[in-house]
């Protein structure tokens, strides 16, 4: 089964959601929040690294899978190279490498650090002339609770101005770097840069990672965590290359994999998303030679006569010799070569694929699969969550409900010599997990649901994203408060005919108000009037006291949002209605004006109805 993350857990409560397409799942979990700490004195650091190089993306575009024909030395039936580009998983709190992708579990015990101290606003243009004046290529090592500068060197907050930190891992002097990483000279002004020259053997290639952080000189700012440490969120800046067996590849043993005719040296400014290979030649060759020939066993299953290996079997093993390459658009002459001996005839074979024009993106994993089939069908799921700035991107509210979740699901059909096509998936199941994906549950009450009924949901999702909502179990404290409400199945009003809080309210007797109270889910509306001015007119906004003269602290006539005297009961000129604040997650949603722009319409979802204000 294939899992890919929608949310990353950072606290005890784990909530998961899986979208099952054949054997594909999406998992999700909860958030955490933290307070801001004001640090003084000694500078300490905290490290965050990506959880893993992902084996399956949350979103895959059509152009991220391609197929091209390979040449084969023995002149047998054609083989094809399937290329798939995937994203890196989201970062989680902290966790050396020999051709091994770094995750939070094996982050090196030290990293390099440089920093620029400056005043005013940061500008990359201005920074090009600024000296690296606060720290230069220091080695930072891991202690019991924090990361600190090695060799008894210390950094202290300066008390004013700002500091921008530039970190990289592994440090250029670490054994894990194998002499492949060089930091720009201290005399060179501007953003620190790294030069990477990939070792010829994949076994010696480090997984280069970088991070930046900006803090006030007094230890304040968004990049200072709750413990007063500078939070460095590392990211991969090379391209990880892996090779797998595809459909109908003969069983056998792999003896060597090589990549040739590519750029092997380049420079990278820390914090950018670019590499520069100017002045270098695209003639480098890199090899992955396993300590022992990699066995591709027969996938017999129920058929003893099946001579092919199991699809997805690693030809290059992630934990042994993944290529860590400079991101680039591959030039003329770029090739992938796989040498193996098949089990059927014991014939030594050399498979070669031209890679010209392939893009190796920064921080992504490129997987090459060798297959005898020139057509690939892959189920894909794209989930888009519109938080509209209300909550952090990886935060699941206490209610367990997200109301703007668009879902796109389809089978991607890629064939040599043809345009990539989409086909509907024949079946779709939504599940959720409460124990980090160990077991999955299915319920009519939870999961993803479309906002509007669809005559053929699967066909619709294959064409474009379908708007919907995601419901997961609420945290218990939130659910307990909901018991104070008398909730009906139908709720109040509909999207087409919302409940009028003025006309249909027997207590208000047709009067408008500054505040309205609801106790059931549904769609509601209220007209645009100033306070209690719908029936009281001027009495609601003109002073009617007897004091003469009018006391200075009293406005004879109330003013509007333009600070001008109110002259009519209704609010004119409204163009839109939006939520400014609310103190319970998604308590009020779908806020808008009616077509006449003289009334506000809003929704209180059943899943988020609770005690709160908006």
């Amino acid at each position: 089964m294939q899992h890919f993350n929608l949310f990353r857990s950072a606290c005890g409560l784990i909530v998961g959601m899986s979208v099952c397409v054949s054997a594909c799942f999406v998992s999700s979990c909860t958030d955490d929040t933290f307070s801001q700490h004001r640090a003084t004195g000694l500078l300490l650091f905290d490290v965050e690294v990506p959880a893993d190089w992902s084996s399956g993306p949350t979103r895959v575009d059509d152009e991220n899978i391609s197929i091209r024909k390979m040449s084969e030395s023995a002149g047998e039936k054609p083989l094809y190279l399937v290329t798939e580009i995937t994203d890196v998983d989201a970062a989680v709190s902290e966790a050396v490498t020999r051709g091994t992708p770094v995750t939070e579990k094996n982050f090196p015990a030290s990293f390099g650090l440089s920093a620029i101290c400056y005043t005013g606003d940061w500008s990359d243009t201005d920074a090009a002339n600024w000296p690296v004046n606060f720290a230069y290529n220091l080695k930072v090592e891991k202690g019991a609770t924090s990361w600190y500068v090695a060799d008894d060197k210390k950094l202290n907050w300066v008390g004013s101005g700002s500091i921008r930190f530039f970190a990289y891992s592994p440090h250029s002097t670490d054994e894990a770097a194998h002499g492949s990483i060089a930091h720009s000279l201290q005399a060179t002004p501007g953003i620190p840069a790294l030069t990477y020259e990939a070792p010829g053997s994949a076994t010696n290639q480090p997984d280069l990672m970088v991070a930046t952080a900006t803090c006030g000189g007094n230890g304040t700012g968004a990049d200072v965590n709750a413990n007063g440490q500078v939070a460095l969120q590392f990211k991969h800046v090379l391209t990880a290359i892996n090779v797998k067996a595809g459909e109908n590849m003969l069983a056998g043993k792999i003896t060597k994999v090589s990549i040739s005719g590519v750029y092997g040296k380049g420079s990278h400014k820390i914090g950018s998303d670019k590499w520069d290979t100017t002045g270098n030649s695209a003639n480098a060759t890199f090899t992955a030679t396993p300590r022992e020939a990699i066995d591709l066993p027969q996938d017999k299953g129920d058929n003893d006569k099946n001579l092919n290996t199991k699809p997805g079997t690693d030809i290059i093993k992630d934990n042994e010799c993944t290529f860590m390459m400079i991101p680039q658009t591959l030039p003329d002459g770029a090739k992938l070569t796989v040498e193996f001996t098949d089990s059927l005839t014991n014939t030594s074979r050399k498979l070669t694929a031209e890679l010209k024009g392939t893009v190796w993106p920064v921080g992504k994993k490129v997987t090459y699969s060798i297959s005898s089939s020139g057509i690939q069908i892959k189920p894909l799921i794209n989930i888009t969550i519109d938080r509209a700035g209300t909550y952090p991107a990886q935060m699941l509210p206490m209610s367990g409900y997200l109301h703007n979740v668009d879902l796109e699901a389809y089978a991607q059909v890629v064939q040599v010599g043809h345009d990539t096509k989409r086909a509907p998936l024949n079946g779709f199941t939504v599940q959720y997990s409460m124990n980090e994906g160990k077991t999955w549950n299915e319920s009519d009450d939870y999961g993803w649901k479309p906002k509007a009924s669809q005559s053929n949901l699967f066909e619709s999702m294959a064409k474009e994203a379908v708007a919907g909502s995601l419901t997961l179990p609420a945290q218990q404290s939130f659910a307990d408060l909901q018991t104070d409400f008398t909730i009906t199945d139908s709720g109040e009003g509909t999207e087409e005919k919302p409940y009028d809080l003025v006309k249909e309210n027997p207590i208000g007797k047709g009067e408008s108000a500054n505040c309205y109270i609801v106790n059931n889910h549904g769609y509601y509306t209220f007209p645009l009037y100033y306070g209690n001015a719908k029936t009281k007119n001027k009495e609601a906004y003109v002073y009617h006291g007897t004091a003469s003269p009018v006391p200075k602290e009293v406005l004879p006539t109330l003013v509007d949002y333009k600070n001008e005297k109110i002259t009519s009961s209704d609010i004119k000129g409204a163009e839109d209605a939006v939520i400014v604040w609310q103190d319970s997650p998604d308590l009020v949603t779908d806020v808008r004006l009616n077509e006449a722009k003289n009334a506000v319409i809003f929704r209180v979802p059943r899943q988020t109805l609770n005690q709160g204000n908006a």
Side-chain angles (χ1 to χ4, degrees):
M1 292 183 290
Q2 182 178 359
H3 293 72
F4 42 98
N5 293 315
L6 178 61
F7 297 101
R8 173 68 60 186
S9 169
C11 60
L13 176 61
I14 305 298
V15 179
M17 171 235 178
S18 71
V19 180
C20 309
V21 183
S22 298
C24 294
F25 293 89
V26 179
S27 65
S28 74
C29 31
T30 61
D31 68 288
D32 83 324
T33 58
F34 52 86
S35 60
Q36 184 63 52
H37 179 89
R38 298 293 179 258
T40 58
L42 188 65
L43 263 151
L44 298 174
F45 300 89
D46 182 49
V47 168
E48 294 186 358
V49 300
D52 204 352
W53 289 86
S54 101
S55 59
T58 305
R59 180 173 181 83
V60 179
D61 295 325
D62 290 341
E63 61 267 24
N64 284 352
I65 298 179
S66 62
I67 303 177
R68 62 179 68 192
K69 190 174 181 179
M70 301 182 75
S71 61
E72 203 272 287
S73 58
E76 301 292 338
K77 64 180 181 179
L79 291 173
Y80 299 90
L81 185 72
V82 181
T83 304
E84 182 174 358
I85 299 173
T86 58
D87 294 321
V88 180
D89 280 352
V92 298
S93 267
E94 129 152 65
V96 177
T97 175
R98 288 172 54 83
T100 302
V102 170
T103 70
E104 80 266 26
K105 297 179 181 179
N106 64 347
F107 188 79
S110 66
F111 60 85
L113 181 78
S114 294
I116 296 175
C117 185
Y118 63 99
T119 58
D121 295 329
W122 177 272
S123 163
D124 286 353
T125 302
D126 294 340
N129 300 312
W130 293 348
V132 183
N133 55 5
F134 186 75
Y136 171 73
N137 201 23
L138 299 177
K139 179 178 280 191
V140 181
E141 296 180 336
K142 186 176 182 180
T145 59
S146 297
W147 293 75
Y148 59 92
V149 180
D151 302 326
D152 294 326
K153 297 178 181 178
K154 295 182 179 180
L155 292 176
N156 289 278
W157 295 108
V158 295
S160 62
S162 299
I163 306 171
R164 179 161 291 198
F165 297 94
F166 303 88
Y168 71 98
S169 173
H171 191 274
S172 57
T173 62
D174 282 353
E175 180 183 353
H178 291 279
S180 63
I181 301 169
H183 191 289
S184 53
L185 298 176
Q186 187 170 12
T188 304
I191 297 173
L194 302 173
T195 298
Y196 174 64
E197 185 169 5
S201 172
T203 309
N204 296 330
Q205 293 169 359
D207 185 357
L208 180 60
M209 305 177 73
V210 302
T212 62
T214 302
C215 308
N218 60 351
T220 62
D223 289 337
V224 179
N225 68 14
N227 297 317
Q229 303 161 328
V230 178
L232 295 169
Q233 297 185 359
F234 280 83
K235 62 180 182 179
H236 303 277
V237 288
L238 297 176
T239 305
I241 308 296
N242 199 13
V243 184
K244 295 180 181 290
E247 297 291 335
N248 300 324
M249 180 177 178
L250 282 175
K253 291 183 180 296
I254 300 296
T255 57
K256 184 178 180 181
V257 178
S258 62
I259 294 174
S260 59
V262 299
Y263 289 103
K265 183 177 182 180
S267 61
H268 168 78
K269 286 188 176 182
I270 298 177
S272 73
D273 59 355
K274 296 182 175 65
W275 279 83
D276 185 5
T277 57
T278 303
N280 300 310
S281 300
N283 57 5
T285 297
F286 305 97
T287 60
T289 304
R291 288 185 292 271
E292 298 179 359
I294 297 174
D295 190 23
L296 300 180
Q298 288 179 242
D299 182 25
K300 292 183 179 181
D302 296 330
N303 181 9
D304 291 338
K305 296 182 180 180
N306 182 23
L307 301 174
N308 298 321
T309 194
K310 184 178 180 179
T313 301
D314 285 338
I315 291 177
I316 299 177
K317 296 188 179 299
D318 270 342
N319 60 358
E320 184 169 298
C321 42
T322 296
F323 289 104
M324 297 294 177
M325 306 303 297
I326 290 176
Q328 58 188 283
T329 299
L330 299 180
D332 289 343
K335 294 180 181 179
L336 171 70
T337 303
V338 178
E339 298 179 19
F340 84 110
T341 301
D342 74 73
S343 300
L344 178 63
T345 65
N346 204 33
T347 300
S348 296
R349 303 176 183 274
K350 182 180 287 188
L351 307 178
T352 303
E354 301 289 339
L355 301 179
K356 174 187 175 182
T358 299
V359 176
W360 286 348
V362 174
K364 294 196 176 183
K365 182 176 181 178
V366 176
T367 300
Y368 293 113
S369 301
I370 299 173
S371 171
S372 64
S373 173
I375 183 170
Q376 296 287 316
I377 301 176
K378 186 179 182 68
L380 296 176
I381 302 168
N382 298 328
I383 296 178
T384 303
I385 302 174
D386 181 10
R387 309 309 291 267
T390 54
Y391 301 102
Q394 293 184 351
M395 175 178 173
L396 184 66
M398 292 178 63
S399 63
Y401 178 75
L402 297 173
H403 67 279
N404 286 332
V405 181
D406 295 348
L407 186 60
E408 186 179 26
Y410 57 93
Q412 185 184 59
V413 183
V414 185
Q415 186 175 8
V416 175
H418 295 78
D419 293 336
T420 298
K421 296 182 178 180
R422 295 184 177 193
L425 295 168
N426 296 322
F428 195 84
T429 303
V430 176
Q431 297 179 334
Y432 68 95
S433 173
M434 296 288 288
N435 55 10
E436 296 184 304
K438 294 177 183 177
T439 58
W440 294 91
N441 305 298
E442 193 172 329
S443 169
D444 292 337
D445 296 328
Y446 301 122
W448 181 88
K449 291 179 172 56
K451 186 175 181 179
S453 60
Q454 304 280 334
S455 57
N456 193 319
L457 180 61
F458 301 133
E459 288 188 5
S460 298
M461 286 191 293
K463 296 176 182 178
E464 60 184 1
V466 174
S469 60
L470 174 64
T471 304
L472 297 169
Q475 293 188 29
Q476 191 59 49
S477 59
F478 188 92
D480 289 343
L481 290 173
Q482 285 186 312
T483 61
D484 294 334
F485 294 86
T486 303
I487 302 176
T488 63
D489 289 337
S490 58
E492 300 290 349
T494 64
E495 186 173 9
E496 295 75 22
K497 189 178 180 180
Y499 179 91
D500 194 314
L501 290 166
V502 173
K503 290 181 179 180
E504 301 181 60
N505 185 353
I507 299 176
K509 298 179 180 179
E511 183 58 276
S512 57
N514 287 319
C515 179
Y516 297 92
I517 298 176
V518 302
N519 62 356
N520 200 357
H521 68 97
Y523 288 87
Y524 297 89
T525 184
F526 60 86
L528 294 181
Y529 282 90
Y530 289 107
N532 306 125
K534 188 175 188 296
T535 62
K536 293 184 178 180
N537 297 315
K538 286 187 178 182
E539 292 183 18
Y541 55 86
V542 175
Y543 175 66
H544 294 283
T546 58
S548 180
V550 176
K552 292 182 179 180
E553 64 272 16
V554 176
L555 284 173
T557 302
L558 298 181
V559 296
D560 61 16
Y561 67 96
K562 295 181 180 179
N563 202 32
E564 297 176 355
K565 291 181 178 181
I566 297 174
T567 58
S568 64
S569 302
D570 57 331
I571 301 172
K572 302 181 184 300
E575 291 295 332
D576 197 5
V578 297
I579 284 286
V580 177
W581 64 270
Q582 54 185 325
D583 58 11
S584 184
D586 293 322
L587 179 64
V588 174
T589 67
D590 302 295
V591 179
R592 60 185 175 86
L593 293 178
N594 63 356
E595 291 186 5
K597 295 188 176 182
N598 61 6
V600 172
I601 298 173
F602 65 94
R603 179 191 178 204
V604 176
R606 177 170 184 165
Q607 297 86 344
T608 62
L609 176 63
N610 217 308
Q611 299 179 35
N613 299 277

